[in-house]
Amino acid sequence: MIEFLNIKQITQRNKQELMQAFEAVLDSGWFIMGNALRTFEQEFAGYCGTQSCIGVANGLDALILILEAYKETGFMKPGDEVIVPSNTYIASILAVSKAGLTPVLCEPDIHTYLLDPALIEKKISKKTKAILPVHLYGQVCDMDPIVALAKKYNLKIIEDCAQSQGAMYHGKRCGNLGDAAGFSFYPGKNLGALGDAGAVTTHDETLAEIIKAWRNYGSHKKYENLYLGVNSRLDELQAALLSVKLKSLDADNQKRREIAQYYINNINHPGIVLPASKERDVLNDHSHVWHVFVVRTEKRDSFQQYLLENGVQTVIHYPIPPHHQKAYTSLHSQQFPISEKIHSQVISLPISPVMQANEYEKVCQVVNLFSS
């Protein structure tokens, strides 16, 4: 069986360094808010090109804390609106709701699956305070028109970089393309911890200081609480392990591009819609880090079963659109036909930095023989 993602094999490559990092934390006797966290925060801020990085417990918390911090500054208040893509993973939308704000869904581009800049302006109202572009599947959104809209209407841009660690746009890394950004380091991400982990990046020092307090019970100084904060701290062990894995992120992303290029060059099936054209120079396109390789087909269920029977494991990202989820009954009456089409047809093929040539060659062979 060709696994969708072999996390064990990915981790084993760095086992010695990871064990050394684990032992260093163990021997230090300091497990929360220590040197390992500060080191990773500095390293990741440097990697992204931002002034600050704040380690937090997970990617959802990263987005929630950004929004809560903007409420503390007075820029946002409960009930204000945040524009979010309608085909994102539900965490992007949950963050808005959990912060007491109102998510306003906007359709994506059918070709990129990313927030369509041409559709954003009609969603802006007097209550709109931010745009939350999601760099879905590992590809950076078209940020120039989004930035222009934000400037025109005095809106904040909050990037959701949960799937796009290392992706670039016009020479700048994601996480450095707006006012603040939330990252997830869930184990399956391109930069994955060995448990839940996340971070916020920003150039706004005021925002950063509020988030640092919010993640720690609203406190900068022990037993002195400035805000009604939460406990959402990136622990020392995960920070140390992430520092190890950060060293190979760019090389891993390049390996993903190589596999994506092979898929694009060699999958030739009339019933399968590829994520990029054959003319695209995937190897040199750093705007995409191929967190997942997503194709579309009208016969998804039978296609997935066929692949499984022929030794290829796949995953559907994501089968149910957010506005059809039971958690969001208030959105059930809204229509998002592009998102609904995407959610009903997408399926992700195996892609990872540890895939061997014979594995992705077999994937192509099996896909091309699908009887549609």
mmCIF file of all heavy atoms in Angstrom, residues 16 70 73 94 184 255 261 283 290 360:
data_model
loop_
_atom_site.group_PDB
_atom_site.id
_atom_site.type_symbol
_atom_site.label_atom_id
_atom_site.label_comp_id
_atom_site.label_asym_id
_atom_site.label_seq_id
_atom_site.Cartn_x
_atom_site.Cartn_y
_atom_site.Cartn_z
ATOM 1 N N GLN A 16 17.914 11.034 15.250
ATOM 2 C CA GLN A 16 19.040 11.329 16.139
ATOM 3 C C GLN A 16 18.984 12.770 16.645
ATOM 4 O O GLN A 16 19.142 13.021 17.845
ATOM 5 C CB GLN A 16 20.366 11.086 15.418
ATOM 6 C CG GLN A 16 21.587 11.271 16.316
ATOM 7 C CD GLN A 16 22.880 10.882 15.621
ATOM 8 O OE1 GLN A 16 22.876 10.367 14.515
ATOM 9 N NE2 GLN A 16 23.996 11.135 16.285
ATOM 10 N N TYR A 70 -6.828 41.967 18.401
ATOM 11 C CA TYR A 70 -7.367 43.134 17.698
ATOM 12 C C TYR A 70 -8.564 43.718 18.446
ATOM 13 O O TYR A 70 -8.805 44.929 18.397
ATOM 14 C CB TYR A 70 -7.746 42.778 16.267
ATOM 15 C CG TYR A 70 -6.579 42.824 15.308
ATOM 16 C CD1 TYR A 70 -6.262 41.742 14.493
ATOM 17 C CD2 TYR A 70 -5.771 43.969 15.221
ATOM 18 C CE1 TYR A 70 -5.181 41.789 13.625
ATOM 19 C CE2 TYR A 70 -4.690 44.019 14.358
ATOM 20 C CZ TYR A 70 -4.401 42.933 13.558
ATOM 21 O OH TYR A 70 -3.322 42.983 12.707
ATOM 22 N N THR A 73 -7.085 45.881 21.164
ATOM 23 C CA THR A 73 -6.587 47.176 20.684
ATOM 24 C C THR A 73 -7.718 48.148 20.385
ATOM 25 O O THR A 73 -7.489 49.350 20.206
ATOM 26 C CB THR A 73 -5.755 47.013 19.397
ATOM 27 O OG1 THR A 73 -6.602 46.571 18.331
ATOM 28 C CG2 THR A 73 -4.610 46.040 19.597
ATOM 29 N N LEU A 94 -14.167 28.774 12.388
ATOM 30 C CA LEU A 94 -14.358 28.632 13.840
ATOM 31 C C LEU A 94 -13.616 29.720 14.616
ATOM 32 O O LEU A 94 -14.119 30.224 15.620
ATOM 33 C CB LEU A 94 -13.848 27.261 14.302
ATOM 34 C CG LEU A 94 -14.734 26.050 14.070
ATOM 35 C CD1 LEU A 94 -14.004 24.780 14.489
ATOM 36 C CD2 LEU A 94 -16.044 26.179 14.840
ATOM 37 N N SER A 184 -0.244 26.444 11.805
ATOM 38 C CA SER A 184 -0.415 25.173 12.513
ATOM 39 C C SER A 184 0.800 24.314 12.240
ATOM 40 O O SER A 184 1.311 24.279 11.117
ATOM 41 C CB SER A 184 -1.666 24.450 12.019
ATOM 42 O OG SER A 184 -1.679 23.102 12.478
ATOM 43 N N LYS A 255 11.178 18.738 -2.613
ATOM 44 C CA LYS A 255 10.859 17.356 -2.973
ATOM 45 C C LYS A 255 9.373 17.226 -3.306
ATOM 46 O O LYS A 255 8.991 16.520 -4.260
ATOM 47 C CB LYS A 255 11.230 16.409 -1.827
ATOM 48 C CG LYS A 255 10.910 14.935 -2.095
ATOM 49 C CD LYS A 255 11.663 14.379 -3.292
ATOM 50 C CE LYS A 255 11.284 12.935 -3.628
ATOM 51 N NZ LYS A 255 11.685 11.976 -2.583
ATOM 52 N N GLN A 261 5.355 17.980 -9.916
ATOM 53 C CA GLN A 261 5.696 18.136 -11.333
ATOM 54 C C GLN A 261 5.559 16.805 -12.081
ATOM 55 O O GLN A 261 5.058 16.763 -13.210
ATOM 56 C CB GLN A 261 7.122 18.659 -11.478
ATOM 57 C CG GLN A 261 7.540 18.970 -12.912
ATOM 58 C CD GLN A 261 6.855 20.210 -13.445
ATOM 59 O OE1 GLN A 261 7.218 21.330 -13.115
ATOM 60 N NE2 GLN A 261 5.845 20.025 -14.301
ATOM 61 N N LEU A 283 8.562 23.206 -10.484
ATOM 62 C CA LEU A 283 9.832 23.082 -9.754
ATOM 63 C C LEU A 283 10.367 24.427 -9.287
ATOM 64 O O LEU A 283 11.015 24.515 -8.242
ATOM 65 C CB LEU A 283 10.870 22.385 -10.634
ATOM 66 C CG LEU A 283 10.657 20.892 -10.880
ATOM 67 C CD1 LEU A 283 11.708 20.371 -11.842
ATOM 68 C CD2 LEU A 283 10.709 20.110 -9.579
ATOM 69 N N TRP A 290 2.784 22.478 -1.962
ATOM 70 C CA TRP A 290 2.149 21.185 -2.180
ATOM 71 C C TRP A 290 1.952 20.389 -0.888
ATOM 72 O O TRP A 290 2.359 19.251 -0.768
ATOM 73 C CB TRP A 290 2.923 20.376 -3.215
ATOM 74 C CG TRP A 290 2.995 21.098 -4.527
ATOM 75 C CD1 TRP A 290 4.026 21.876 -4.977
ATOM 76 C CD2 TRP A 290 1.979 21.172 -5.526
ATOM 77 N NE1 TRP A 290 3.716 22.422 -6.200
ATOM 78 C CE2 TRP A 290 2.459 21.988 -6.562
ATOM 79 C CE3 TRP A 290 0.714 20.600 -5.659
ATOM 80 C CZ2 TRP A 290 1.714 22.286 -7.707
ATOM 81 C CZ3 TRP A 290 -0.027 20.884 -6.792
ATOM 82 C CH2 TRP A 290 0.474 21.711 -7.815
ATOM 83 N N TYR A 360 5.448 7.160 -6.651
ATOM 84 C CA TYR A 360 4.647 8.137 -7.386
ATOM 85 C C TYR A 360 4.502 7.766 -8.860
ATOM 86 O O TYR A 360 3.540 8.172 -9.520
ATOM 87 C CB TYR A 360 5.130 9.582 -7.190
ATOM 88 C CG TYR A 360 6.588 9.897 -7.404
ATOM 89 C CD1 TYR A 360 7.108 10.082 -8.672
ATOM 90 C CD2 TYR A 360 7.438 10.103 -6.307
ATOM 91 C CE1 TYR A 360 8.439 10.419 -8.871
ATOM 92 C CE2 TYR A 360 8.773 10.445 -6.497
ATOM 93 C CZ TYR A 360 9.272 10.607 -7.770
ATOM 94 O OH TYR A 360 10.585 10.957 -7.966
#
